[in-house]
Amino acid sequence: MTQARKPVGAGAVLGWLALSALAPGAAHLRMGWRRTGLVLLGGYLAALVALLAVALLNDGLLGALTRDSSLTAITVGSVVLALAWFALVVHSFVVLRPGGLSQAGQVLTGTLAGLLAVAVVLPFAWAAQTAWISRQTINDIFDAPAAAPGAPESVVPEDPWAGRERVNILLLGGDADDHRTGVRTDSMNVASIDVGTGATVLFSLPRNLEDVRFRPGTPMAQAFPDGFRLPRDPGGGRSDLLNSVWEYADAHPEIFGGRPHQGPKVLMDTIGYTLGLKIDWYALVNMWGFARLIDAIGGVRLHVEQDVVFGRYNEGLVKAGTRKLKGADAMWYARSRTFSDDFTRMRRQRCVMGALLEQADPATVLSRFHRVALATKELIRTDIPRDMLEHLVPLALKVKNAEVTSVQFVPPLINTGYPDWERIRQITKEAIRDSESPPARAATAAPSPIPGDATATATATASASTTATASATTTASATATPRATPSGPRSPKPKGATQGLSEGCGAA
């Protein structure tokens, strides 16, 4: 029940009104609306305590916020809270009895109260819009559970990884455009992630890997029992390299009994067979969509070790030095083949992706969220199930704080024309084993140059990330001391097989 109070001055009205916007009920208590004020303030404090408890006690909160239901609830809740806070400011203004002020005071306080009522709505409107755009973006990118090849029909929350200790995600960079048919995967990396610790090994495979072998018993193995070999193109080039597997499988559905769009599945299985791993999912990144993502976060700071020339007529130039590059320049730095080779380009790609991984911090992503979301919709194609996302987000946070190392299968580590498949699988196995016991590796490791770096003026490595926030711990690894295993002595690891993700990229 209200109690009569003497009207306050214009300054006091505005002060109590501002306080009420931050602590609902303050103006009501000031003017004697004790019961109403206590209910408003008590409810507000209880809600803050509840939110804090949820945030502190729920380790998977960020993942849970990616659910469709959660994002819808945030959208609706933000709209309701915006209306409630607007009404609160208006009612608090009325309770403060501005009618007792002079005419000038009434005009001043009424105008500022109206502005405050609109201002308190803006954060909730931003939250609602952000949640809605997030929901649309996620639903556009991620498949329904049944769409992922070999995936279970539904994810069990108690064991989302279905007993797996590691997940292996194939990260692809494609250069498809409006003037090219099919998909050419010119960047192929497998991220092998320990689901317990987040320790990650990134395996990079060269686009020009020849004599590709397919898993025995598969349609491609039956079509190419001696390896992937085709006649040379009219211009003398080859269309039977590793980067052509997806495109070839899509273009020849007759090999698969008429089933179309087999490219992603075939490439996943082929690369998994090559490394001796089971690939769980893939994510295809459009290279120029990646450039738009870099622009969306305001550019990426890179160390360019030497001038990089690009363009049909060598008309483009990314100058040497350390500075922030826009998306187009960052992509040309990563992709140019002029006066270079595929292996140097692979290293530059790893540098761009490593820099993005380190520099796409949460504050930057949130401040430019709408641009980032729009760029991401054009960037990624994946078969990761929608309901796995809430489990992958906490895993990504583990990766951020864990060790990320890299193995590049380039000369002299391997011969791309005549690959030693058993050697590739053994190196993969050794790298994963080492990532699971970093202290042992650190005791036997020493810095070493990146494979294939002898022709480069300065070392530069390249790596990738999309979402967003992380910093990679750089490590160096060399010849490992052989240790006994149940099957006999372990063969020495080739020198320089494993590096830290950003190792050799220079100070940025």
Side-chain angles (χ1 to χ4, degrees), residues 39-58:
V39 169
L40 288 172
L41 188 59
Y44 175 67
L45 293 176
L48 288 181
V49 171
L51 286 175
L52 181 61
V54 169
L56 293 177
L57 300 177
N58 192 340

Side-chain angles (χ1 to χ4, degrees), residues 5 42 60 74 76 91 156 181 206 285 287 316 326 355 398 465 501:
R5 289 291 180 95
I74 291 172
V76 174
H91 194 261
V156 180
T181 59
V285 175
M287 286 298 193
K326 293 183 178 180
K398 288 183 181 179
S465 163
L501 188 60

Side-chain angles (χ1 to χ4, degrees), residues 237-260:
R238 303 212 64 97
S239 296
D240 53 10
L241 306 177
L242 182 60
N243 74 322
S244 302
V245 169
W246 178 320
E247 183 178 21
Y248 186 88
D250 270 356
H252 294 82
E254 69 279 1
I255 295 178
F256 312 96
R259 296 191 302 275

Side-chain angles (χ1 to χ4, degrees), residues 132-143:
W132 186 254
I133 291 176
S134 299
R135 177 179 176 275
Q136 288 183 314
T137 301
I138 291 172
N139 289 339
D140 285 344
I141 292 174
F142 291 91
D143 285 340

